[in-house]
PDB file of all heavy atoms in Angstrom:
ATOM      1  N   HIS A   3     113.090 103.993 107.468  1.00 73.00           N
ATOM      2  CA  HIS A   3     113.762 103.884 106.177  1.00 73.00           C
ATOM      3  C   HIS A   3     113.944 105.275 105.589  1.00 73.00           C
ATOM      4  O   HIS A   3     113.278 106.227 106.008  1.00 73.00           O
ATOM      5  CB  HIS A   3     112.943 103.027 105.207  1.00 73.00           C
ATOM      6  CG  HIS A   3     112.779 101.613 105.663  1.00 73.00           C
ATOM      7  ND1 HIS A   3     113.759 100.669 105.504  1.00 73.00           N
ATOM      8  CD2 HIS A   3     111.752 100.994 106.278  1.00 73.00           C
ATOM      9  CE1 HIS A   3     113.341  99.518 105.999  1.00 73.00           C
ATOM     10  NE2 HIS A   3     112.126  99.690 106.479  1.00 73.00           N
ATOM     11  N   THR A   5     112.817 106.472 103.015  1.00 82.00           N
ATOM     12  CA  THR A   5     111.606 106.991 102.368  1.00 82.00           C
ATOM     13  C   THR A   5     110.588 107.528 103.369  1.00 82.00           C
ATOM     14  O   THR A   5     109.639 108.200 102.966  1.00 82.00           O
ATOM     15  CB  THR A   5     110.926 105.897 101.522  1.00 82.00           C
ATOM     16  OG1 THR A   5     110.592 104.800 102.383  1.00 82.00           O
ATOM     17  CG2 THR A   5     111.822 105.430 100.396  1.00 82.00           C
ATOM     18  N   LYS A  51     100.416 105.634 101.012  1.00 88.00           N
ATOM     19  CA  LYS A  51     100.285 104.180 101.155  1.00 88.00           C
ATOM     20  C   LYS A  51     101.130 103.455 100.117  1.00 88.00           C
ATOM     21  O   LYS A  51     101.864 102.515 100.448  1.00 88.00           O
ATOM     22  CB  LYS A  51      98.816 103.766 101.005  1.00 88.00           C
ATOM     23  CG  LYS A  51      98.587 102.265 101.096  1.00 88.00           C
ATOM     24  CD  LYS A  51      97.140 101.897 100.920  1.00 88.00           C
ATOM     25  CE  LYS A  51      96.788 101.953  99.459  1.00 88.00           C
ATOM     26  NZ  LYS A  51      95.477 101.389  99.139  1.00 88.00           N
ATOM     27  N   LYS A  52     101.075 103.903  98.877  1.00 85.00           N
ATOM     28  CA  LYS A  52     101.877 103.273  97.822  1.00 85.00           C
ATOM     29  C   LYS A  52     103.361 103.388  98.126  1.00 85.00           C
ATOM     30  O   LYS A  52     104.111 102.426  97.949  1.00 85.00           O
ATOM     31  CB  LYS A  52     101.574 103.921  96.474  1.00 85.00           C
ATOM     32  CG  LYS A  52     100.245 103.536  95.898  1.00 85.00           C
ATOM     33  CD  LYS A  52     100.008 104.259  94.588  1.00 85.00           C
ATOM     34  CE  LYS A  52      98.582 104.059  94.122  1.00 85.00           C
ATOM     35  NZ  LYS A  52      98.312 104.820  92.890  1.00 85.00           N
ATOM     36  N   ALA A  53     103.789 104.553  98.569  1.00 86.00           N
ATOM     37  CA  ALA A  53     105.207 104.747  98.889  1.00 86.00           C
ATOM     38  C   ALA A  53     105.641 103.799 100.005  1.00 86.00           C
ATOM     39  O   ALA A  53     106.730 103.215  99.953  1.00 86.00           O
ATOM     40  CB  ALA A  53     105.473 106.201  99.274  1.00 86.00           C
ATOM     41  N   LEU A  54     104.803 103.641 101.019  1.00 87.00           N
ATOM     42  CA  LEU A  54     105.120 102.742 102.128  1.00 87.00           C
ATOM     43  C   LEU A  54     105.201 101.291 101.660  1.00 87.00           C
ATOM     44  O   LEU A  54     106.136 100.560 102.010  1.00 87.00           O
ATOM     45  CB  LEU A  54     104.081 102.880 103.239  1.00 87.00           C
ATOM     46  CG  LEU A  54     104.327 102.014 104.468  1.00 87.00           C
ATOM     47  CD1 LEU A  54     105.546 102.517 105.224  1.00 87.00           C
ATOM     48  CD2 LEU A  54     103.108 102.021 105.367  1.00 87.00           C
ATOM     49  N   ILE A  55     104.258 100.872 100.848  1.00 84.00           N
ATOM     50  CA  ILE A  55     104.244  99.492 100.352  1.00 84.00           C
ATOM     51  C   ILE A  55     105.454  99.230  99.462  1.00 84.00           C
ATOM     52  O   ILE A  55     106.130  98.204  99.595  1.00 84.00           O
ATOM     53  CB  ILE A  55     102.926  99.181  99.612  1.00 84.00           C
ATOM     54  CG1 ILE A  55     101.779  99.134 100.628  1.00 84.00           C
ATOM     55  CG2 ILE A  55     103.021  97.878  98.827  1.00 84.00           C
ATOM     56  CD1 ILE A  55     100.403  99.093 100.012  1.00 84.00           C
ATOM     57  N   HIS A  56     105.764 100.172  98.573  1.00 81.00           N
ATOM     58  CA  HIS A  56     106.924  99.984  97.701  1.00 81.00           C
ATOM     59  C   HIS A  56     108.220  99.970  98.502  1.00 81.00           C
ATOM     60  O   HIS A  56     109.133  99.200  98.191  1.00 81.00           O
ATOM     61  CB  HIS A  56     106.959 101.069  96.628  1.00 81.00           C
ATOM     62  CG  HIS A  56     105.891 100.906  95.604  1.00 81.00           C
ATOM     63  ND1 HIS A  56     105.536 101.896  94.744  1.00 81.00           N
ATOM     64  CD2 HIS A  56     105.076  99.863  95.301  1.00 81.00           C
ATOM     65  CE1 HIS A  56     104.571 101.476  93.957  1.00 81.00           C
ATOM     66  NE2 HIS A  56     104.266 100.248  94.285  1.00 81.00           N
ATOM     67  N   ASP A  57     108.285 100.792  99.533  1.00 83.00           N
ATOM     68  CA  ASP A  57     109.457 100.785 100.409  1.00 83.00           C
ATOM     69  C   ASP A  57     109.603  99.417 101.075  1.00 83.00           C
ATOM     70  O   ASP A  57     110.690  98.857 101.137  1.00 83.00           O
ATOM     71  CB  ASP A  57     109.347 101.879 101.466  1.00 83.00           C
ATOM     72  CG  ASP A  57     110.526 101.879 102.411  1.00 83.00           C
ATOM     73  OD1 ASP A  57     111.663 102.101 101.932  1.00 83.00           O
ATOM     74  OD2 ASP A  57     110.327 101.646 103.619  1.00 83.00           O
ATOM     75  N   HIS A  58     108.503  98.883 101.552  1.00 80.00           N
ATOM     76  CA  HIS A  58     108.536  97.573 102.203  1.00 80.00           C
ATOM     77  C   HIS A  58     109.005  96.502 101.224  1.00 80.00           C
ATOM     78  O   HIS A  58     109.863  95.671 101.557  1.00 80.00           O
ATOM     79  CB  HIS A  58     107.160  97.215 102.762  1.00 80.00           C
ATOM     80  CG  HIS A  58     107.134  95.868 103.407  1.00 80.00           C
ATOM     81  ND1 HIS A  58     107.719  95.619 104.628  1.00 80.00           N
ATOM     82  CD2 HIS A  58     106.614  94.686 102.983  1.00 80.00           C
ATOM     83  CE1 HIS A  58     107.549  94.339 104.937  1.00 80.00           C
ATOM     84  NE2 HIS A  58     106.888  93.758 103.955  1.00 80.00           N
ATOM     85  N   ILE A  59     108.463  96.521 100.039  1.00 78.00           N
ATOM     86  CA  ILE A  59     108.858  95.534  99.035  1.00 78.00           C
ATOM     87  C   ILE A  59     110.344  95.670  98.726  1.00 78.00           C
ATOM     88  O   ILE A  59     111.080  94.686  98.733  1.00 78.00           O
ATOM     89  CB  ILE A  59     108.027  95.689  97.743  1.00 78.00           C
ATOM     90  CG1 ILE A  59     106.574  95.286  98.002  1.00 78.00           C
ATOM     91  CG2 ILE A  59     108.623  94.848  96.613  1.00 78.00           C
ATOM     92  CD1 ILE A  59     105.637  95.653  96.878  1.00 78.00           C
ATOM     93  N   ASN A  60     110.777  96.893  98.477  1.00 75.00           N
ATOM     94  CA  ASN A  60     112.167  97.117  98.074  1.00 75.00           C
ATOM     95  C   ASN A  60     113.169  96.832  99.184  1.00 75.00           C
ATOM     96  O   ASN A  60     114.267  96.372  98.923  1.00 75.00           O
ATOM     97  CB  ASN A  60     112.353  98.546  97.572  1.00 75.00           C
ATOM     98  CG  ASN A  60     111.667  98.767  96.257  1.00 75.00           C
ATOM     99  OD1 ASN A  60     111.540  97.861  95.439  1.00 75.00           O
ATOM    100  ND2 ASN A  60     111.201  99.975  96.034  1.00 75.00           N
ATOM    101  N   ARG A  61     112.806  97.121 100.407  1.00 77.00           N
ATOM    102  CA  ARG A  61     113.757  96.971 101.512  1.00 77.00           C
ATOM    103  C   ARG A  61     113.583  95.650 102.264  1.00 77.00           C
ATOM    104  O   ARG A  61     114.523  94.902 102.438  1.00 77.00           O
ATOM    105  CB  ARG A  61     113.617  98.129 102.503  1.00 77.00           C
ATOM    106  CG  ARG A  61     113.829  99.468 101.904  1.00 77.00           C
ATOM    107  CD  ARG A  61     115.306  99.696 101.639  1.00 77.00           C
ATOM    108  NE  ARG A  61     115.429 100.912 100.842  1.00 77.00           N
ATOM    109  CZ  ARG A  61     116.361 101.082  99.942  1.00 77.00           C
ATOM    110  NH1 ARG A  61     117.249 100.164  99.727  1.00 77.00           N
ATOM    111  NH2 ARG A  61     116.417 102.191  99.246  1.00 77.00           N
ATOM    112  N   CYS A  62     112.391  95.400 102.714  1.00 72.00           N
ATOM    113  CA  CYS A  62     112.158  94.265 103.615  1.00 72.00           C
ATOM    114  C   CYS A  62     112.033  92.935 102.878  1.00 72.00           C
ATOM    115  O   CYS A  62     112.635  91.943 103.282  1.00 72.00           O
ATOM    116  CB  CYS A  62     110.912  94.514 104.457  1.00 72.00           C
ATOM    117  SG  CYS A  62     111.023  96.033 105.427  1.00 72.00           S
ATOM    118  N   LEU A  63     111.269  92.917 101.828  1.00 70.00           N
ATOM    119  CA  LEU A  63     111.047  91.661 101.120  1.00 70.00           C
ATOM    120  C   LEU A  63     112.333  91.179 100.458  1.00 70.00           C
ATOM    121  O   LEU A  63     112.688  90.006 100.556  1.00 70.00           O
ATOM    122  CB  LEU A  63     109.940  91.819 100.075  1.00 70.00           C
ATOM    123  CG  LEU A  63     109.467  90.556  99.372  1.00 70.00           C
ATOM    124  CD1 LEU A  63     108.928  89.557 100.385  1.00 70.00           C
ATOM    125  CD2 LEU A  63     108.400  90.885  98.356  1.00 70.00           C
ATOM    126  N   ASP A  64     113.046  92.081  99.813  1.00 66.00           N
ATOM    127  CA  ASP A  64     114.298  91.692  99.175  1.00 66.00           C
ATOM    128  C   ASP A  64     115.290  91.143 100.195  1.00 66.00           C
ATOM    129  O   ASP A  64     115.973  90.156  99.946  1.00 66.00           O
ATOM    130  CB  ASP A  64     114.937  92.883  98.446  1.00 66.00           C
ATOM    131  CG  ASP A  64     114.277  93.183  97.108  1.00 66.00           C
ATOM    132  OD1 ASP A  64     113.458  92.358  96.652  1.00 66.00           O
ATOM    133  OD2 ASP A  64     114.579  94.238  96.525  1.00 66.00           O
ATOM    134  N   LYS A  65     115.372  91.777 101.368  1.00 70.00           N
ATOM    135  CA  LYS A  65     116.312  91.323 102.399  1.00 70.00           C
ATOM    136  C   LYS A  65     115.912  89.970 102.975  1.00 70.00           C
ATOM    137  O   LYS A  65     116.755  89.143 103.280  1.00 70.00           O
ATOM    138  CB  LYS A  65     116.410  92.361 103.520  1.00 70.00           C
ATOM    139  CG  LYS A  65     117.190  93.576 103.135  1.00 70.00           C
ATOM    140  CD  LYS A  65     117.253  94.549 104.289  1.00 70.00           C
ATOM    141  CE  LYS A  65     117.979  95.818 103.862  1.00 70.00           C
ATOM    142  NZ  LYS A  65     118.025  96.812 104.925  1.00 70.00           N
ATOM    143  N   SER A  66     114.622  89.745 103.135  1.00 70.00           N
ATOM    144  CA  SER A  66     114.171  88.501 103.749  1.00 70.00           C
ATOM    145  C   SER A  66     114.384  87.301 102.838  1.00 70.00           C
ATOM    146  O   SER A  66     114.543  86.183 103.309  1.00 70.00           O
ATOM    147  CB  SER A  66     112.703  88.597 104.161  1.00 70.00           C
ATOM    148  OG  SER A  66     111.869  88.646 103.019  1.00 70.00           O
ATOM    149  N   VAL A  67     114.400  87.536 101.549  1.00 68.00           N
ATOM    150  CA  VAL A  67     114.580  86.445 100.602  1.00 68.00           C
ATOM    151  C   VAL A  67     116.050  86.070 100.485  1.00 68.00           C
ATOM    152  O   VAL A  67     116.391  84.935 100.182  1.00 68.00           O
ATOM    153  CB  VAL A  67     113.998  86.841  99.219  1.00 68.00           C
ATOM    154  CG1 VAL A  67     114.355  85.825  98.164  1.00 68.00           C
ATOM    155  CG2 VAL A  67     112.493  87.002  99.311  1.00 68.00           C
ATOM    156  N   MET A  77     109.521  86.543  90.190  1.00 83.00           N
ATOM    157  CA  MET A  77     108.258  86.652  90.928  1.00 83.00           C
ATOM    158  C   MET A  77     108.226  87.927  91.767  1.00 83.00           C
ATOM    159  O   MET A  77     107.204  88.611  91.827  1.00 83.00           O
ATOM    160  CB  MET A  77     108.049  85.418  91.809  1.00 83.00           C
ATOM    161  CG  MET A  77     107.726  84.179  91.009  1.00 83.00           C
ATOM    162  SD  MET A  77     107.700  82.609  91.944  1.00 83.00           S
ATOM    163  CE  MET A  77     106.991  83.002  93.485  1.00 83.00           C
ATOM    164  N   ILE A  78     109.342  88.273  92.409  1.00 79.00           N
ATOM    165  CA  ILE A  78     109.409  89.496  93.219  1.00 79.00           C
ATOM    166  C   ILE A  78     109.249  90.716  92.326  1.00 79.00           C
ATOM    167  O   ILE A  78     108.493  91.639  92.649  1.00 79.00           O
ATOM    168  CB  ILE A  78     110.725  89.556  94.023  1.00 79.00           C
ATOM    169  CG1 ILE A  78     110.721  88.495  95.116  1.00 79.00           C
ATOM    170  CG2 ILE A  78     110.929  90.948  94.625  1.00 79.00           C
ATOM    171  CD1 ILE A  78     112.058  88.335  95.829  1.00 79.00           C
ATOM    172  N   GLU A  79     109.927  90.738  91.197  1.00 81.00           N
ATOM    173  CA  GLU A  79     109.801  91.869  90.269  1.00 81.00           C
ATOM    174  C   GLU A  79     108.378  91.977  89.739  1.00 81.00           C
ATOM    175  O   GLU A  79     107.840  93.078  89.602  1.00 81.00           O
ATOM    176  CB  GLU A  79     110.792  91.737  89.109  1.00 81.00           C
ATOM    177  CG  GLU A  79     112.212  92.037  89.485  1.00 81.00           C
ATOM    178  CD  GLU A  79     112.377  93.416  90.122  1.00 81.00           C
ATOM    179  OE1 GLU A  79     111.844  94.395  89.598  1.00 81.00           O
ATOM    180  OE2 GLU A  79     113.052  93.491  91.164  1.00 81.00           O
ATOM    181  N   ASP A  80     107.766  90.850  89.457  1.00 87.00           N
ATOM    182  CA  ASP A  80     106.378  90.840  89.001  1.00 87.00           C
ATOM    183  C   ASP A  80     105.457  91.415  90.080  1.00 87.00           C
ATOM    184  O   ASP A  80     104.562  92.216  89.791  1.00 87.00           O
ATOM    185  CB  ASP A  80     105.966  89.409  88.646  1.00 87.00           C
ATOM    186  CG  ASP A  80     104.777  89.352  87.729  1.00 87.00           C
ATOM    187  OD1 ASP A  80     104.595  90.282  86.921  1.00 87.00           O
ATOM    188  OD2 ASP A  80     104.028  88.350  87.816  1.00 87.00           O
ATOM    189  N   PHE A  81     105.704  91.025  91.322  1.00 83.00           N
ATOM    190  CA  PHE A  81     104.903  91.539  92.439  1.00 83.00           C
ATOM    191  C   PHE A  81     105.100  93.044  92.601  1.00 83.00           C
ATOM    192  O   PHE A  81     104.147  93.784  92.831  1.00 83.00           O
ATOM    193  CB  PHE A  81     105.263  90.810  93.731  1.00 83.00           C
ATOM    194  CG  PHE A  81     104.477  91.264  94.912  1.00 83.00           C
ATOM    195  CD1 PHE A  81     103.119  91.012  95.011  1.00 83.00           C
ATOM    196  CD2 PHE A  81     105.091  91.969  95.931  1.00 83.00           C
ATOM    197  CE1 PHE A  81     102.387  91.447  96.097  1.00 83.00           C
ATOM    198  CE2 PHE A  81     104.363  92.407  97.028  1.00 83.00           C
ATOM    199  CZ  PHE A  81     103.014  92.144  97.107  1.00 83.00           C
ATOM    200  N   LYS A  82     106.330  93.514  92.483  1.00 79.00           N
ATOM    201  CA  LYS A  82     106.607  94.941  92.572  1.00 79.00           C
ATOM    202  C   LYS A  82     105.860  95.709  91.486  1.00 79.00           C
ATOM    203  O   LYS A  82     105.263  96.758  91.765  1.00 79.00           O
ATOM    204  CB  LYS A  82     108.108  95.223  92.442  1.00 79.00           C
ATOM    205  CG  LYS A  82     108.911  94.835  93.658  1.00 79.00           C
ATOM    206  CD  LYS A  82     110.379  95.115  93.411  1.00 79.00           C
ATOM    207  CE  LYS A  82     111.248  94.649  94.539  1.00 79.00           C
ATOM    208  NZ  LYS A  82     112.684  94.883  94.271  1.00 79.00           N
ATOM    209  N   ASN A  83     105.892  95.194  90.280  1.00 82.00           N
ATOM    210  CA  ASN A  83     105.181  95.852  89.181  1.00 82.00           C
ATOM    211  C   ASN A  83     103.681  95.851  89.406  1.00 82.00           C
ATOM    212  O   ASN A  83     103.003  96.853  89.170  1.00 82.00           O
ATOM    213  CB  ASN A  83     105.518  95.193  87.839  1.00 82.00           C
ATOM    214  CG  ASN A  83     106.924  95.488  87.399  1.00 82.00           C
ATOM    215  OD1 ASN A  83     107.468  96.547  87.688  1.00 82.00           O
ATOM    216  ND2 ASN A  83     107.530  94.548  86.690  1.00 82.00           N
ATOM    217  N   LEU A  84     103.160  94.754  89.880  1.00 84.00           N
ATOM    218  CA  LEU A  84     101.729  94.644  90.155  1.00 84.00           C
ATOM    219  C   LEU A  84     101.289  95.574  91.269  1.00 84.00           C
ATOM    220  O   LEU A  84     100.211  96.168  91.225  1.00 84.00           O
ATOM    221  CB  LEU A  84     101.377  93.195  90.500  1.00 84.00           C
ATOM    222  CG  LEU A  84      99.913  92.879  90.739  1.00 84.00           C
ATOM    223  CD1 LEU A  84      99.102  93.147  89.485  1.00 84.00           C
ATOM    224  CD2 LEU A  84      99.745  91.441  91.176  1.00 84.00           C
ATOM    225  N   SER A  85     102.147  95.755  92.263  1.00 80.00           N
ATOM    226  CA  SER A  85     101.776  96.593  93.413  1.00 80.00           C
ATOM    227  C   SER A  85     101.621  98.062  93.050  1.00 80.00           C
ATOM    228  O   SER A  85     101.038  98.833  93.808  1.00 80.00           O
ATOM    229  CB  SER A  85     102.791  96.430  94.536  1.00 80.00           C
ATOM    230  OG  SER A  85     104.008  97.071  94.212  1.00 80.00           O
ATOM    231  N   LYS A  86     102.111  98.472  91.895  1.00 75.00           N
ATOM    232  CA  LYS A  86     101.944  99.855  91.457  1.00 75.00           C
ATOM    233  C   LYS A  86     100.467 100.208  91.250  1.00 75.00           C
ATOM    234  O   LYS A  86     100.098 101.366  91.246  1.00 75.00           O
ATOM    235  CB  LYS A  86     102.694 100.092  90.154  1.00 75.00           C
ATOM    236  CG  LYS A  86     104.200 100.002  90.301  1.00 75.00           C
ATOM    237  CD  LYS A  86     104.879 100.138  88.964  1.00 75.00           C
ATOM    238  CE  LYS A  86     106.363  99.893  89.114  1.00 75.00           C
ATOM    239  NZ  LYS A  86     107.053  99.897  87.820  1.00 75.00           N
ATOM    240  N   LEU A  88      97.997  99.418  93.251  1.00 71.00           N
ATOM    241  CA  LEU A  88      97.257  99.489  94.512  1.00 71.00           C
ATOM    242  C   LEU A  88      96.608 100.842  94.677  1.00 71.00           C
ATOM    243  O   LEU A  88      97.090 101.841  94.290  1.00 71.00           O
ATOM    244  CB  LEU A  88      98.188  99.221  95.687  1.00 71.00           C
ATOM    245  CG  LEU A  88      98.714  97.800  95.800  1.00 71.00           C
ATOM    246  CD1 LEU A  88      99.766  97.720  96.902  1.00 71.00           C
ATOM    247  CD2 LEU A  88      97.594  96.835  96.092  1.00 71.00           C
TER     248      LEU A  88
END
Side-chain angles (χ1 to χ4, degrees):
H3 297 280
T5 59
K51 178 181 78 170
K52 286 178 190 177
L54 181 69
I55 290 169
H56 289 165
D57 179 62
H58 179 73
I59 291 169
N60 290 329
R61 302 285 170 213
C62 302
L63 188 59
D64 282 350
K65 286 180 183 178
S66 69
V67 171
M77 289 171 38
I78 291 171
E79 286 305 313
D80 201 30
F81 181 68
K82 287 178 185 178
N83 289 328
L84 183 62
S85 73
K86 293 176 186 175
L88 291 173

